[in-house]
């Protein structure tokens, strides 16, 4: 079983920034579609941002203009740059990679936005 490893979470004040990273030890990394999800306490997991193999991106309305998803195929790493963070962005953030029937998740990294 492939285990993705997220990093970069933490405590940040409102208006601050964080950069999440996700290391994905899979072969043919460039052929995977990828995404960042989050789950706040008492809420369902939701898609935050996605990126295709061709580099096309999509974002949840709540993060458009503030978050940027990117991938480095040479480093097998997925990123999420988060700016202008709000308290409602507080959640556990998970990365996911998918290719045909393969779908792998990380263990999650906590992001807390609070003053």
């Amino acid at each position: 079983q492939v285990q993705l490893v997220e990093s970069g979470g933490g405590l940040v004040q409102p208006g601050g920034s964080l950069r999440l990273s996700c290391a994905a030890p899979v072969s043919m990394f460039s052929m995977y579609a990828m995404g960042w999800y989050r789950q706040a306490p008492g809420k369902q997991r939701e898609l935050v941002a996605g990126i295709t193999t061709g580099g096309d991106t999509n974002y949840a309305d709540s993060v458009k203009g503030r978050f940027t998803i990117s991938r480095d195929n040479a480093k097998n790493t997925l990123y999420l740059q988060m700016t202008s963070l709000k308290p409602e962005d507080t959640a556990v953030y998970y990365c996911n990679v998918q290719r045909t029937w393969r779908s792998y998740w990380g263990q999650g990294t906590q992001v807390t936005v609070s003053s």
Side-chain angles (χ1 to χ4, degrees), residues 94-115:
Y94 300 88
C95 61
N96 171 261
V97 300
Q98 296 186 31
R99 176 184 170 220
T100 59
W101 52 267
R102 303 171 182 85
S103 180
Y104 306 120
W105 291 88
Q107 80 290 350
T109 185
Q110 177 70 46
V111 172
T112 302
V113 184
S114 175
S115 55

Side-chain angles (χ1 to χ4, degrees), residues 2-96:
V2 175
Q3 181 68 56
L4 312 184
V5 180
E6 299 106 335
S7 60
L11 173 64
V12 63
Q13 291 187 342
S17 299
L18 283 174
R19 188 194 196 201
L20 305 183
S21 298
C22 172
V26 296
S27 60
M28 305 178 78
F29 177 88
S30 63
M31 297 184 70
Y32 282 76
M34 302 179 179
W36 285 98
Y37 293 74
R38 68 186 180 188
Q39 187 166 18
K43 295 187 177 181
Q44 289 188 333
R45 189 174 297 189
E46 63 174 353
L47 176 66
V48 175
I51 186 166
T52 68
T53 56
D56 293 328
T57 58
N58 63 284
Y59 298 92
D61 288 343
S62 59
V63 306
K64 281 181 181 177
R66 300 188 299 121
F67 290 11
T68 302
I69 188 171
S70 62
R71 60 193 293 167
D72 187 333
N73 291 337
K75 296 182 178 180
N76 276 36
T77 303
L78 176 69
Y79 302 100
L80 185 68
Q81 179 68 49
M82 305 185 293
T83 63
S84 302
L85 283 161
K86 305 175 181 180
E88 50 265 42
D89 294 318
T90 295
V92 178
Y93 284 71
Y94 300 88
C95 61
N96 171 261

